[in-house]
Amino acid sequence: MNNLNHIAIIMDGNGRWAKERNLPRTMGHKKGVEKVREIAIYANKLGVKCLTLYAFSTENWKRPETEVNYLMSLPKVFFKSYLKEIMENNIVIRMVGDMERIPSEAREIFESAIEQTKNNTGMVLNFAMNYGGQNEIVKAALKFANDYKEGKKDSLDEESFKDYLYTAGLPDVDLMIRTSNEQRISNFLLYQLAYSEFIFTDTYWPDFSCEDLDKCIEEFNHRTRRFGGLNETKNN
Ligand code: FPP
């Protein structure tokens, strides 16, 4: 067993994986979708409570239209192929991000998957779609300001602010993994990563395996988390 309530992954390197094989970038994303299935089913079996995957950032709109359209078609590909297996594995689907700009077909597919899996009791598989951490914090601040103005809330602290984030109700992120050897957080879960352990791996996302996840968890288990204090908290 492990102490991992929440793993978050920046699934990077799809384009480079495809380029190295003389394939179009979209083939890297296609392979990436298969990896989402494999890693999600495995993480659920390991007892991870929540897995958040960065599927589309607020900055990804800058990509060529054909690639953006392809990325927006992936929810359909994913749920058409794997929703049955997600149900059999008792996984709950959630989504975080700014839904308004997501094309209606992709949004409806997500909403339907969220509805169908809402009574499951296994791992939460949380997709970050049109997600940006700064955007999330600003929206949360505006929501609180509105509640304050309407007299619904009169105080705010670090803990209660979490209720205004897209991730309300989800556990804090213990481990953030980024594939493909890029060492940045790229506007991902800025508030939620405050005390997370970070692991940057060389592997491109389409090559990331269950064994790679095991290795990350093993490394996490050897880290000592102090949360700013002096008491050493080993993870295993
Ligand atoms: C980054 O690689 C990856 C993305 C922007 C998209 C990731 C999405 C998936 C793996 C599938 C999501 C699945 C669902 C169901 C929505 P990159 O293109 O930036 O790679 P590069 O840095 O090598 O160019």
Side-chain angles (χ1 to χ4, degrees), residues 43-221:
N44 180 48
K45 293 218 162 93
L46 292 179
V48 173
K49 306 270 183 311
C50 180
L51 175 67
T52 297
L53 301 176
Y54 209 0
F56 192 92
S57 76
T58 46
E59 287 72 35
N60 285 151
W61 296 106
K62 294 179 200 151
R63 295 189 177 204
E65 197 183 341
T66 47
E67 185 168 341
V68 168
N69 290 342
Y70 189 80
L71 288 168
M72 285 299 159
S73 75
L74 296 181
K76 186 173 179 181
V77 173
F78 180 79
F79 290 114
K80 207 166 158 224
S81 309
Y82 307 128
L83 186 57
K84 188 166 172 279
E85 208 179 350
I86 283 173
M87 285 303 290
E88 285 161 5
N89 282 271
N90 200 23
I91 291 171
V92 180
I93 299 295
R94 256 185 83 162
M95 181 164 135
V96 290
D98 186 347
M99 298 306 117
E100 274 170 34
R101 203 171 162 192
I102 294 176
S104 53
E105 191 187 26
R107 202 171 54 223
E108 282 160 19
I109 283 163
F110 262 112
E111 283 164 0
S112 162
I114 291 166
E115 179 61 27
Q116 287 179 66
T117 60
K118 71 176 184 202
N119 294 323
N120 289 350
T121 54
M123 184 185 80
V124 174
L125 174 56
N126 183 33
F127 287 93
M129 287 290 292
N130 193 25
Y131 175 87
Q134 291 182 341
N135 169 271
E136 177 184 37
I137 292 168
V138 169
K139 282 195 165 212
L142 289 170
K143 264 192 267 169
F144 172 76
N146 198 50
D147 279 358
Y148 185 84
K149 203 170 80 185
E150 290 181 358
K152 291 183 192 155
K153 284 272 157 54
D154 58 7
S155 67
L156 186 66
D157 60 21
E158 291 90 329
E159 204 52 39
S160 58
F161 189 67
K162 292 177 185 172
D163 296 338
Y164 288 94
L165 298 171
Y166 293 130
T167 49
L170 298 177
D172 287 339
V173 177
D174 301 298
L175 170 63
M176 195 285 292
I177 300 167
R178 182 171 189 150
T179 60
S180 91
N181 203 25
E182 302 292 346
Q183 306 201 353
R184 312 181 273 280
I185 56 171
S186 301
N187 207 9
F188 188 42
L189 301 176
L190 297 181
Y191 200 90
Q192 299 85 341
L193 294 180
Y195 287 102
S196 311
E197 294 296 320
F198 289 4
I199 294 181
F200 299 99
T201 130
D202 288 349
T203 314
Y204 293 146
W205 175 249
D207 287 329
F208 192 79
S209 63
C210 296
E211 293 73 44
D212 289 321
L213 183 62
D214 282 339
K215 279 189 215 150
C216 291
I217 293 174
E218 178 70 15
E219 184 176 338
F220 170 84
N221 284 337

